[in-house]
Amino acid sequence: MKGLSFDVLRVGKRYKLINFGEVNEFVVEYILANGDFNVKNIHTLERYLLKDLIKYGKGNDFEIRELE
């Protein structure tokens, strides 16, 4: 696994997640008590839970990076 772990994600920061060839860029809005994150897609403004992006597992290309 390359990049950041879920422990270092912070509210208000922008991140790029790559999993199974799919690229998602999002900003963390809230950290939930169960350890999940409420995020908003930077491009579509859609809101979802971060665990929804990895519910089918982590691919060989799984990576989280902070955007500048």
Side-chain angles (χ1 to χ4, degrees), residues 23-63:
V23 177
N24 291 284
E25 294 180 350
F26 59 87
V27 61
V28 176
E29 291 189 318
Y30 302 102
I31 300 173
L32 304 174
N34 65 359
D36 201 358
F37 299 86
N38 206 0
V39 299
K40 181 172 75 172
N41 187 297
I42 293 172
H43 304 292
T44 65
L45 304 178
E46 178 184 3
R47 289 184 167 88
Y48 45 83
L49 298 176
L50 186 58
K51 287 188 179 177
D52 289 341
L53 294 177
I54 59 168
K55 67 182 171 185
Y56 298 114
K58 296 178 183 175
N60 293 334
D61 62 345
F62 182 81
E63 181 177 3

